[in-house]
Amino acid sequence: MVKVLLLFLLLMAGIVVGPMIAGHQGYVLIQTDNWNIETSVTGLTIILILSLVVLFAIEWILRRLFRTGARTRGWFMGRKRNRARKQTSLALLKLAEGDYQQVEKLMSKNADHAEQPVVNYLLAAEAAQQRGDEMRANQHLERAAELADGDQIPVEITRVRLQLARNENHAARHGVDRLLEVTPRHPEVLRLAEQAYIRTGAWNSLLEILPSMKKAQVGDDAHRDALQQQAWIGLMDQARAEQGSDGLKAWWQNQSRKTRQQTTLQVAMAEHLIECDDHDTAQSIILDGLKRQYDERLVMLMPRLKTGNPEQLEKALRQQIKSQGDRPILWSTLGQLLMKHGEWQEASIAFRAALKQRPDAFDYAWLADVLDRMHQPEEAATMRRDGLLLTLQNNSLQNSPPQ
């Protein structure tokens, strides 16, 4: 606009001043080594004006050419972006259909021009992994890492997910350890860490992330409690494998009182000690647990014990019968203990008390053995028949189709 105004002013000046100097045009001489240019002032003015007009015209033409090139590039870029957007939308539909080959193809084809190219490459990597093409998955993952710049967390999360899918468990564990240093409460990182730690037996690490899982609301309370129990039992297995019964007992004593009073752990610890042939320590844990809280899982371990002091077990069972009432599991367990010591009359009373409350095939069989010992073959045969009929009846109910 300024240039047009300048030209207009020059033309007006020529129109006004031209006639005034028409008779006084003057003389202009431009001399070089080889040339002499002679003209009037008016002629020189006209030449300058025409030169400016030519320059402005050339500038206008060049501007239009460059602008046309920019528009052309913009048109092509816009076309690629639109194509990438359509392909991404179609890829998401194919993902819902489970067509991973098409998902990878559509996500990666124009990913560089997509609105979020990193997301496209990451989804393409996961789709390639679903097809079992690890090389393509790695290529897409590396391209995503190049485009992600400073925000590498999504890329590393995808990398760990792919490693777990390939059963590269120790590499995945190393990856989640690094991610937890950067983002310790990221829900997906915690979920991946749970898988990696379980697969590699990193039970202490699993226990350490449980508070973060609770704050990030990863899983419910029951799920986290189950993980905690699994971690404790895993640590028991490690202690037993490394140092046997002595290592297991030392580990147990190093735990807090609150931990040792958890019934599930007491059951697991007693089972481990029984397998290590340390029945006395197992009995101590069982009896200590029953004093604090009744639990049938502790009671059911009693017949497996082989200790030199069975009277404590029998006494504990009779106390539980008084406090908990006539529970069949208590009478049946008491009968099994009495059988081991040859107290046939007392054992028969215990099994009859259990059967009075509910029929059980095992109790029928044990009572039949006791009656044989007491020289009562006819009643023993009756108990075996009743136990067999009960077993056949239960099998029939289990095999019958649902209504």
Side-chain angles (χ1 to χ4, degrees):
M1 191 68 183
V2 175
K3 295 176 181 178
V4 175
L5 180 60
L6 180 60
L7 278 174
F8 180 75
L9 292 175
L10 289 173
L11 290 173
M12 290 298 295
I15 293 172
V16 174
V17 177
M20 294 175 60
I21 64 173
H24 309 280
Q25 296 186 17
Y27 176 76
V28 177
L29 173 62
I30 301 174
Q31 185 177 21
T32 66
D33 291 340
N34 301 319
W35 296 91
N36 289 330
I37 301 174
E38 299 178 0
T39 184
S40 64
V41 175
T42 302
L44 181 60
T45 302
I46 293 172
I47 291 172
L48 291 174
I49 292 173
L50 290 175
S51 299
L52 287 173
V53 171
V54 172
L55 289 173
F56 288 155
I58 294 172
E59 182 192 15
W60 179 82
I61 291 171
L62 292 175
R63 188 186 301 117
R64 290 298 300 267
L65 288 174
F66 286 122
R67 186 178 298 169
T68 301
R71 288 177 179 174
T72 303
R73 288 193 300 271
W75 181 79
F76 279 112
M77 293 295 292
R79 188 169 177 226
K80 290 181 179 179
R81 283 194 294 268
N82 290 334
R83 184 181 300 172
R85 188 181 301 111
K86 292 179 181 179
Q87 288 173 339
T88 301
S89 299
L90 182 58
L92 293 175
L93 293 176
K94 293 297 181 181
L95 180 63
E97 296 174 5
D99 189 350
Y100 296 109
Q101 183 173 1
Q102 286 298 315
V103 171
E104 182 199 353
K105 179 180 178 181
L106 293 169
M107 279 292 183
S108 60
K109 192 170 185 180
N110 286 292
D112 288 337
H113 304 286
E115 294 180 358
Q116 294 181 312
V118 175
V119 176
N120 279 55
Y121 279 116
L122 292 179
L123 289 176
E126 296 210 36
Q129 181 61 45
Q130 289 289 341
R131 295 193 302 104
D133 192 341
E134 296 184 5
M135 182 178 295
R136 293 281 294 173
N138 290 335
Q139 291 175 353
H140 296 318
L141 193 63
E142 294 308 316
R143 181 56 181 158
E146 294 174 3
L147 297 174
D149 295 330
D151 187 12
Q152 292 290 326
I153 292 178
V155 177
E156 294 305 316
I157 287 176
T158 304
R159 191 187 306 279
V160 171
R161 192 181 293 118
L162 297 184
Q163 289 168 342
L164 288 171
R166 301 168 187 169
N167 291 320
E168 298 173 0
N169 299 321
H170 290 282
R173 176 182 171 183
H174 180 65
V176 295
D177 285 341
R178 289 185 300 176
L179 282 169
L180 287 171
E181 293 177 0
V182 179
T183 174
R185 294 184 184 176
H186 193 293
E188 183 61 17
V189 173
L190 290 169
R191 279 188 282 267
L192 293 173
E194 173 191 333
Q195 296 181 51
Y197 290 155
I198 290 175
R199 292 188 186 186
T200 58
W203 306 117
N204 281 320
S205 297
L206 181 59
L207 290 172
E208 290 174 0
I209 66 171
L210 289 178
S212 296
M213 292 179 67
K214 183 176 182 179
K215 292 179 180 178
Q217 297 182 348
V218 177
D220 54 16
D221 290 337
H223 177 70
R224 290 189 294 272
D225 289 343
L227 287 178
Q228 186 181 49
Q229 305 298 336
Q230 185 178 2
W232 287 125
I233 294 173
L235 289 172
M236 290 181 193
D237 290 335
Q238 289 180 352
R240 180 181 61 181
E242 293 172 0
Q243 301 178 11
S245 176
D246 292 337
L248 192 60
K249 288 188 289 186
W251 177 87
W252 182 253
Q253 292 301 320
N254 288 332
Q255 306 309 309
S256 65
R257 179 178 298 179
K258 182 179 180 181
T259 299
R260 294 200 304 270
Q261 290 179 355
Q262 294 185 39
T263 304
T264 302
L265 298 186
Q266 291 173 338
V267 172
M269 185 66 183
E271 288 179 337
H272 282 67
L273 289 169
I274 291 172
E275 292 172 2
C276 290
D277 203 27
D278 189 349
H279 296 272
D280 290 334
T281 306
Q283 177 173 313
S284 176
I285 291 175
I286 291 172
L287 294 178
D288 183 65
L290 286 173
K291 287 179 182 178
R292 288 182 169 84
Q293 182 179 359
Y294 173 77
D295 193 289
E296 289 188 353
R297 292 173 295 177
L298 292 171
V299 175
M300 293 173 67
L301 290 174
M302 289 183 174
R304 297 173 56 187
L305 294 172
K306 301 175 183 178
T307 65
N309 192 8
E311 292 80 8
Q312 284 189 346
L313 295 176
E314 297 174 13
K315 181 180 179 181
L317 284 171
R318 295 186 186 280
Q319 289 176 345
Q320 292 294 329
I321 291 172
K322 291 181 180 179
S323 60
Q324 301 296 328
D326 288 340
R327 295 176 181 261
I329 186 66
L330 292 174
W331 281 113
S332 177
T333 303
L334 179 60
Q336 295 174 58
L337 295 179
L338 292 170
M339 279 182 66
K340 290 182 178 180
H341 310 139
E343 300 181 26
W344 310 117
Q345 184 63 39
E346 293 293 325
S348 68
I349 294 174
F351 285 126
R352 291 181 192 277
L355 289 169
K356 182 179 180 181
Q357 298 172 62
R358 56 100 179 90
D360 181 82
F362 289 103
D363 287 342
Y364 278 123
W366 284 320
L367 179 56
D369 291 341
V370 169
L371 292 172
D372 281 336
R373 293 284 186 170
M374 296 172 63
H375 307 291
Q376 299 179 20
E378 294 181 359
E379 190 176 2
T382 301
M383 293 298 104
R384 288 193 174 91
R385 183 194 62 196
D386 292 345
L388 178 60
L389 291 175
L390 181 61
T391 301
L392 294 174
Q393 182 181 357
N394 291 337
N395 291 337
S396 177
L397 290 174
Q398 291 177 359
N399 295 329
S400 62
Q403 299 294 329

